[in-house]
Amino acid sequence: MKPTALVIGAGIGGIATAARLAKNGYDVTVLEKESTPGGRCNQIVRDGHRFDIGPTLFLMPEIWEETFASLGEKMSDHLDLKRIDPTYKVHFDDGLRLELTSDIGKMQTQLEAVDKTAFTGFLGYIAEGSKHYKISVEKFVGRNFYNIFEYFSLKNLPLIFNLKALQKHYTNTSRFFKDERLKAAFTFQNMYLGLSPYDAPATYSLLQYTELAEGVWYPMGGMYAGIQALTKVAEKLGVKFVYNSPVKKINAGKLKVESVITADDKTYTADIFVGNADLPYIYKELLPDAKEAKKLDEKLYTCSTIMFYWGVDKQYPQIAHHNVFLGGDYKASFDQIFEDHTLPEVPSFYVHAPARTDAAAAPEGQETLYVLVPVGHLDARSEQDWDALVNRARETVFTRIEKEMGITDLKEHIKFEIVYQPKVWKERFNLEKGAAFGLSHNFWQVGYLRPQNRHAKYKNMYFAGASTHPGTGLPIVLLSARLTTERILKEKGTIAVQKVVKPTLNPA
């Protein structure tokens, strides 16, 4: 008889863990509160407009490739990837524009127009990012740590210093660039992880390396195509998905979890359990573990976001696939987000226009626009008038787009608007404090120091997702699924560890 596994949540980490366990002989059931899989990586389809709700950047394709390979599949059979280059158009409020691209000649021309020494700095910065990426994936992000001595071993300690884990990203960037705008252009990517570059470890220069060297990709059909493909593979392997079934309680005995109860009072038992809901939410709301929940509540959390999903009845070809608008005092902006937990006086924002690459994302002659404005997470101790903050964020977007792109009529051509803000992230996705990216990443919240992917007391309760090891971001959560599965198989008597496979991808 097959061992049984029950996964709470069909986010990408839950789907991938379920599929890997099924591939290794488990009978797997996934309970999902929504009517469709994906979690934060879900989609909205309305009046012919298709929006990805959360992530819009397909990064680190070799990790996706390894996930499909471990399940006996080829990624290319499931996803049609297009490379986006230039990766972004970056707009500064003083009129400077940069197109970040893997075309070295174009980068040299643009950077030297800002500062004669900047291109040399750029090459050094990308070289350091390459080193950080390779060491991180091989030695830290891509492995489990079963005790603190493994993490702070004589072999690992020099690597922690090589990765500059104790240095701040923005400070380290000053070694390579003099111009403040260039420092911003090569650190704003920390916001994908919901982090401030003034707090994030310098290790995260690996993000810019992966974008420019490995590429920013787009799966035709949107990021949700990745969710659909993995769900299809999981179902092919025998995984059963039960939708509209939120878990309301995890029943635990002295040393193990016995069962879970859903909102409709159904009880599910299994040999092992995997929590893919946000980890702080599981400890606070589902497990009988108030002490650990309090410890998690006191940890640092990522920021939140105000999102606008606009169905537009006119095309605006001047809006690229990925657009970043940086504004105001860079340091003050991050302080207002991460310390004051509010919207900066001069907000920065990101605009995604998928129809530039994928015509099916919008009706013919129309536009699907996704706007992300970073903002502080929910904080009961500070006054947060979300209606006022949303209105101010919206007006900022209209003003900047008119000023820098000459688009004067966007407001009149919006057919409908859907808004997400921190309360929605908390209520719909059970994200503690409405922190859109889960727990933060600083030196004390990474590696072995991050919440473990197995409960300390209940030895059959595991976790996969953004707030456990190794962290947030879609490809990193795919690694979380691999590491959690490896741990389960190791501790339950079998193990089938697979190396990360490097794919061959052709830019399209």
Side-chain angles (χ1 to χ4, degrees):
M1 202 167 142
K2 284 184 174 183
T4 55
L6 188 129
V7 179
I8 303 167
I12 193 167
I15 299 164
T17 306
R20 284 177 179 270
L21 287 171
K23 180 73 174 170
N24 282 280
Y26 275 79
D27 183 344
V28 188
T29 300
V30 180
L31 300 178
E32 167 54 43
K33 73 187 284 281
E34 297 268 311
S35 59
T36 52
R40 281 165 276 186
C41 197
N42 214 307
Q43 66 174 357
I44 297 168
V45 179
R46 179 168 165 184
D47 299 345
H49 296 269
R50 188 191 67 228
F51 305 87
D52 285 313
I53 288 178
T56 58
L57 297 159
F58 192 100
L59 300 172
M60 304 181 190
E62 72 279 7
I63 293 175
W64 287 81
E65 182 95 346
E66 186 276 333
T67 298
F68 280 97
S70 73
L71 303 173
E73 303 281 337
K74 283 178 68 176
M75 182 171 72
S76 57
D77 291 340
H78 296 271
L79 296 177
D80 177 11
L81 296 182
K82 305 293 184 191
R83 188 164 184 169
I84 307 299
D85 197 273
T87 54
Y88 313 90
K89 289 189 176 175
V90 185
H91 300 255
F92 297 86
D93 56 6
D94 65 357
L96 175 66
R97 293 181 193 178
L98 289 176
E99 291 190 357
L100 300 188
T101 171
S102 57
D103 184 322
I104 293 295
K106 285 183 181 174
M107 284 300 293
Q108 182 172 7
T109 302
Q110 293 182 88
L111 293 173
E112 289 183 348
V114 177
D115 174 6
K116 288 292 181 193
T117 66
F119 182 65
T120 304
F122 167 75
L123 293 176
Y125 185 69
I126 294 300
E128 181 177 273
S130 170
K131 182 179 79 172
H132 287 173
Y133 178 69
K134 290 178 172 68
I135 294 174
S136 290
V137 171
E138 288 175 21
K139 306 292 186 184
F140 288 94
V141 178
R143 61 161 292 188
N144 280 307
F145 294 97
Y146 294 96
N147 58 63
I148 200 160
F149 303 107
E150 280 186 2
Y151 188 58
F152 289 117
S153 68
L154 290 175
K155 196 183 288 185
N156 262 18
L157 274 176
L159 297 177
I160 291 172
F161 288 102
N162 284 343
L163 286 170
K164 299 189 172 179
L166 296 167
Q167 294 183 38
K168 304 301 183 193
H169 192 182
Y170 190 86
T171 306
N172 184 58
T173 308
S174 302
R175 294 179 54 242
F176 302 96
F177 303 105
K178 296 175 190 169
D179 191 282
E180 295 299 319
R181 295 167 300 178
L182 296 183
K183 294 176 192 176
F186 291 101
T187 56
F188 76 79
Q189 295 87 347
N190 288 176
M191 291 302 292
Y192 309 159
L193 306 177
L195 305 177
S196 164
Y198 295 92
D199 297 324
T203 314
Y204 288 114
S205 60
L206 63 85
L207 288 169
Q208 292 74 42
Y209 164 75
T210 60
E211 287 181 351
L212 296 176
E214 310 270 333
V216 171
W217 300 79
Y218 179 81
M220 297 302 280
M223 294 297 289
Y224 197 63
I227 295 295
Q228 290 170 316
L230 285 172
T231 303
K232 183 179 168 186
V233 170
E235 288 175 334
K236 182 178 164 185
L237 291 167
V239 176
K240 295 180 286 294
F241 289 86
V242 183
Y243 297 109
N244 302 305
S245 295
V247 170
K248 70 175 182 181
K249 188 180 181 187
I250 296 173
N251 290 321
K254 281 189 176 180
L255 295 174
K256 69 174 191 171
V257 168
E258 308 286 355
S259 63
V260 304
I261 302 174
T262 54
D264 57 359
D265 288 322
K266 287 183 181 170
T267 299
Y268 291 81
T269 59
D271 296 314
I272 63 156
F273 296 81
V274 180
N276 179 233
D278 193 37
L279 184 138
Y281 171 82
I282 294 175
Y283 275 97
K284 185 177 180 181
E285 303 293 342
L286 304 183
L287 276 170
D289 203 336
K291 185 181 174 185
E292 188 63 25
K294 187 173 187 302
K295 277 166 60 180
L296 287 168
D297 188 61
E298 291 166 357
K299 289 187 179 293
L300 285 176
Y301 283 74
T302 55
C303 69
S304 192
T305 61
I306 292 171
M307 311 292 299
F308 300 107
Y309 307 100
W310 289 333
V312 183
D313 65 10
K314 180 179 175 180
Q315 276 189 322
Y316 295 98
Q318 59 268 61
I319 303 178
H321 189 110
H322 298 298
N323 312 264
V324 174
F325 293 79
L326 298 176
D329 182 325
Y330 197 59
K331 172 80 165 65
S333 293
F334 284 106
D335 286 347
Q336 286 158 4
I337 292 169
F338 290 93
E339 292 178 20
D340 302 336
H341 300 141
T342 188
L343 180 70
E345 283 178 33
V346 184
S348 297
F349 60 94
Y350 159 78
V351 180
H352 179 229
R356 284 296 80 73
T357 304
D358 186 357
E364 189 176 352
Q366 301 190 31
E367 202 77 81
T368 291
L369 295 180
Y370 158 122
V371 180
L372 182 156
V373 188
V375 69
H377 62 60
L378 297 173
D379 183 355
R381 294 166 298 181
S382 65
E383 288 185 31
Q384 294 172 310
D385 182 342
W386 289 110
D387 289 341
L389 294 176
V390 165
N391 289 337
R392 184 157 68 83
R394 185 189 297 108
E395 288 308 313
T396 297
V397 174
F398 289 142
T399 302
R400 286 287 301 270
I401 284 179
E402 179 175 341
K403 176 188 168 189
E404 287 163 51
M405 291 183 164
I407 296 173
T408 58
D409 60 351
L410 176 59
K411 203 181 292 189
E412 291 75 52
H413 287 280
I414 294 175
K415 297 190 294 181
F416 65 84
E417 173 187 82
I418 298 167
V419 178
Y420 276 28
Q421 41 95 331
K423 288 181 179 175
V424 179
W425 292 119
K426 185 174 193 293
E427 288 160 15
R428 179 172 175 186
F429 298 105
N430 293 332
L431 295 169
E432 193 60 27
K433 303 180 193 288
F437 309 85
L439 283 176
S440 189
H441 301 70
N442 63 8
F443 180 76
W444 303 106
Q445 290 183 192
V446 294
Y448 185 76
L449 304 176
R450 197 167 181 80
Q452 297 290 294
N453 54 12
R454 195 203 70 200
H455 196 282
K457 180 180 175 185
Y458 309 126
K459 307 296 188 188
N460 65 338
M461 180 78 225
Y462 295 85
F463 305 99
S467 291
T468 186
H469 176 67
T472 194
L474 283 188
I476 306 305
V477 171
L478 286 175
L479 282 179
S480 166
R482 175 166 72 85
L483 297 180
T484 299
T485 305
E486 285 180 6
R487 183 164 192 168
I488 291 167
L489 298 177
K490 179 181 178 181
E491 293 179 350
K492 302 305 173 188
T494 57
I495 185 157
V497 180
Q498 287 183 286
K499 296 283 184 187
V500 174
V501 180
K502 197 87 165 175
T504 303
L505 288 165
N506 297 313

